[in-house]
Amino acid sequence: MAEDIANSPDTIEDDPIEVRRAKRQALIDAGRDPYGHAFTASHTIAELDEKYAHLEDGQDTEDEVAIAGRVMARRVQGKVAFLELQDHTGRIQLFCRINALGEDAFAEIKEVDVGDWIAVNGCMMRTRRGQLSIAVSSFELMSKSLRPLPEKFHGLTDKETRYRQRYVDLVMNADVRETFQKRFKIVSAIRRYMEEQGYFEVETPFLSPIIGGANAKPFITHFNALDRDYYLRIATELPLKRLLVGGFPKVFEMGRIFRNEGMDPYHNPEFTTMEAYEAFGDLDSMIRLTQGCIQTAAEAACGTLHINYQGQELDLSGDWRVASMIELASEGAGEDVSFERSREELVSILKRNGGEAEDAWGKGKLIAEIFEAVAEEKLIQPTFVIDHPLEVSPLAKKHPDNPELTQRFELFICGHEYANAFTELNDPVDQAERFHAQVAAKDMGDDEAMGFDADYIRALEYGMPPAGGVGIGIDRLVMLLTDAPTIRDVLLFPHMRDEA
């Protein structure tokens, strides 16, 4: 009895590229196209696994199927060949016999290399050893692979190579495919949730003449048709809020953002966010929206609200904690951190906790820096940090009880920020003053400060309704819900230094 490929020794062939090139040329010389044509599969491999799970060992059927995929393993044993075929849903064994294929076709299938794409027709069966298989009656080469895949048992393990050659990483590592399949589910679930909440999905420009919507270093490009420099967007906030002025009640955009800054496990210069704005909303409505959005994504990707991230057990169910930045900074520092302290006292507190102050920073910025130094990493379970200082929140509405604070939250989980929200500032006079303050900060050397957006002020002067707005980091959320330690693990094409 023939031996199943699953029970065979190493079946990976590490053919040199020149050998594969010779096979390609031989096909062309014989009038054959080594790069195939359109093909309609009858099933995915996962569908076959489910449909024929009932087959008993040694049972044959006359059920004909047609599938296509990449050859991941091959073993020829006399007049029988076993191939392992992989599509985007899984792998299945191909059982190839000379008496079913004929001598010519059997000779051809023996020349198929690991990595080649083929399409096959055949009948479903289960071998005596219990391996679900397709008894192949015909096959076609769909794409000749000229470069051998990594060796089966050691695989593609070098991180830099995996990120740089994601196409090979996806072929060789099932867990990587699963991560990105979960990413697709997360993005899809968020879109459905937002639409169910009555939000319109819109698109705003990638290129902007002014740096706005956040504090960040931009990428700069030259717009030839207008003969001036433009910036790749660092946020979608200001265009989206213009749409509230125009009368849209709820809008959101899921898209790429560009910030010309460093790379680390939680930051990539090009990343994806979802920003949403609700006319007549506020911070409380944004808390509800953010919590519902993330809980929906978690259910879609993980099937549960109790997850594990890098060894931390997280409970995403119920209503999440809400606490002020000053409260958490004071807890973390072990002393009062507030606007009641002098600037010198706040500088001393920051220095005692490992930070350094800049001359341009006022009390609000110092309080935010102290919070970052002493409290952020302790926020493991989901926590909405509210009441940010005005100095670090130039687009948020002032707190009604304290003009030095704003109606803003940041959501922290496992010590990292996942969302940022405001009760939006809709007073054009107040907004203009804050823009002027940002320009002054830029003149003092803050290269992350925003510019003065005169058109946005004009839009506010026409009247923007009270509103709530939030931005959620999609890449970080995918990290959380796939237990990925670095942002590069959830980006299909992370940025890399040039190859040596």
Side-chain angles (χ1 to χ4, degrees):
M1 183 181 63
E3 182 179 4
D4 292 344
I5 198 166
N7 300 305
S8 68
D10 184 6
T11 57
I12 292 291
E13 290 189 359
D14 191 21
D15 291 340
I17 293 176
E18 57 268 21
V19 173
R20 296 180 179 228
R21 286 184 176 272
K23 290 183 179 181
R24 169 189 174 276
Q25 190 60 49
L27 288 167
I28 294 172
D29 292 345
R32 307 279 293 279
D33 181 3
Y35 294 102
H37 53 79
F39 177 82
T40 301
S42 64
H43 301 80
T44 65
I45 290 173
E47 289 169 345
L48 293 177
D49 282 339
E50 181 178 358
K51 184 175 181 179
Y52 292 97
H54 67 278
L55 290 184
E56 297 179 357
D57 295 354
Q59 184 178 352
D60 295 329
T61 77
E62 295 183 358
D63 296 353
E64 295 186 359
V65 298
I67 66 168
R70 188 189 292 273
V71 176
M72 296 302 295
R74 185 195 67 171
R75 179 175 177 81
V76 179
Q77 186 173 343
K79 296 182 179 182
V80 177
F82 294 94
L83 279 68
E84 190 174 60
L85 199 71
Q86 174 176 291
D87 72 2
H88 68 285
T89 67
R91 295 187 182 188
I92 196 168
Q93 178 171 274
L94 305 181
F95 184 40
C96 309
R97 293 173 285 195
I98 192 170
N99 59 348
L101 287 167
E103 291 187 3
D104 291 344
F106 188 74
E108 288 182 17
I109 209 164
K110 290 197 297 183
E111 291 300 310
V112 167
D113 289 308
V114 170
D116 287 354
W117 288 82
I118 64 172
V120 304
N121 291 272
C123 293
M124 295 303 300
M125 60 172 288
R126 191 178 294 279
T127 67
R128 293 181 184 177
R129 293 193 177 185
Q131 185 74 36
L132 186 66
S133 305
I134 298 173
V136 177
S137 57
S138 65
F139 85 98
E140 292 181 83
L141 178 66
M142 291 296 183
S143 184
K144 183 65 191 169
S145 169
L146 300 184
R147 198 174 281 270
L149 293 172
E151 191 272 327
K152 179 177 181 181
F153 296 106
H154 295 98
L156 185 65
T157 56
D158 178 71
K159 280 284 189 180
E160 181 167 333
T161 303
R162 287 180 55 198
Y163 297 146
R164 196 181 300 281
Q165 299 180 26
R166 182 68 85 190
Y167 39 87
V168 183
D169 193 22
L170 289 166
V171 173
M172 299 304 298
N173 295 313
D175 59 327
V176 174
R177 293 194 299 276
E178 182 181 357
T179 290
F180 288 102
Q181 287 166 354
K182 284 187 175 181
R183 182 179 180 121
F184 305 150
K185 291 179 181 178
I186 290 165
V187 170
S188 178
I190 290 172
R191 279 200 163 96
R192 288 197 307 272
Y193 179 80
M194 296 302 293
E195 290 167 0
E196 289 168 359
Q197 303 306 308
Y199 282 79
F200 294 95
E201 183 172 11
V202 300
E203 295 176 322
T204 62
F206 277 69
L207 295 173
S208 174
I210 296 172
I211 306 169
N215 293 87
K217 296 178 183 177
F219 284 91
I220 304 172
T221 187
H222 191 75
F223 200 141
N224 289 339
L226 298 178
D227 192 25
R228 61 159 295 178
D229 284 348
Y230 266 60
Y231 306 97
L232 291 180
R233 66 187 185 188
I234 59 173
T236 55
E237 177 168 346
L238 300 186
L240 288 173
K241 290 198 289 192
R242 284 172 167 92
L243 298 179
L244 298 187
V245 174
F248 279 99
K250 296 180 179 182
V251 294
F252 82 99
E253 180 172 12
M254 195 177 303
R256 305 296 271 180
I257 300 298
F258 307 88
R259 298 183 181 178
N260 198 358
E261 299 169 349
M263 294 189 293
D264 63 33
Y266 278 82
H267 295 87
N268 193 68
E270 180 181 358
F271 57 99
T272 301
T273 66
M274 192 279 288
E275 285 200 48
Y277 295 87
E278 176 189 3
F280 303 106
D282 61 8
L283 209 62
D284 290 336
S285 66
M286 291 301 102
I287 284 177
R288 292 192 297 271
L289 182 75
T290 302
Q291 184 173 289
C293 193
I294 292 176
Q295 288 174 337
T296 298
E299 288 281 11
C302 308
T304 179
L305 297 179
H306 294 83
I307 66 171
N308 182 291
Y309 182 70
Q310 300 297 296
Q312 299 275 7
E313 296 291 335
L314 299 176
D315 181 3
L316 303 182
S317 65
D319 290 328
W320 301 343
R321 180 189 181 192
V322 178
S324 75
M325 178 178 284
I326 286 177
E327 172 191 347
L328 292 167
S330 299
E331 285 179 8
E335 58 182 304
D336 178 52
V337 175
S338 70
F339 284 95
E340 302 300 319
R341 308 298 294 266
S342 68
R343 184 183 183 281
E344 292 71 23
E345 288 174 325
L346 292 173
V347 169
S348 297
I349 294 171
L350 179 59
K351 287 183 176 180
R352 283 198 295 274
N353 289 281
E356 289 294 330
E358 296 184 12
D359 292 340
W361 293 355
K363 288 185 181 182
K365 175 67 170 175
L366 289 167
I367 289 170
E369 290 291 321
I370 293 169
F371 162 78
E372 182 176 340
V374 304
E376 271 191 15
E377 65 180 19
K378 299 175 184 177
L379 301 177
I380 304 304
Q381 299 302 322
T383 303
F384 291 107
V385 179
I386 63 171
D387 298 346
H388 289 55
L390 178 64
E391 185 179 351
V392 294
S393 309
L395 297 171
K397 184 171 278 190
K398 291 178 182 176
H399 196 288
D401 300 324
N402 186 341
E404 294 176 310
L405 301 177
T406 59
Q407 297 176 60
R408 176 186 177 188
F409 77 67
E410 289 177 298
L411 171 64
F412 285 89
I413 307 173
C414 285
H416 295 282
E417 178 198 343
Y418 285 84
N420 188 18
F422 306 146
T423 296
E424 301 297 332
L425 177 61
N426 61 337
D427 178 345
V429 176
D430 189 353
Q431 182 64 81
E433 291 173 354
R434 298 197 207 183
F435 276 162
H436 282 303
Q438 287 284 298
V439 172
K442 185 178 288 292
D443 291 342
M444 292 181 66
D446 186 350
D447 56 2
E448 294 187 359
M450 285 183 265
F452 190 96
D453 191 334
D455 179 73
Y456 181 68
I457 298 300
R458 178 169 56 192
L460 291 184
E461 288 173 344
Y462 280 101
M464 186 181 89
V470 65
I472 298 175
I474 300 300
D475 305 306
R476 287 190 182 181
L477 180 58
V478 175
M479 288 175 62
L480 182 74
L481 299 180
T482 60
D483 196 23
T486 172
I487 195 170
R488 292 186 176 191
D489 288 335
V490 300
L491 298 175
L492 280 168
F493 302 103
H495 292 291
M496 305 289 293
R497 297 185 186 277
D498 291 343
E499 289 187 77

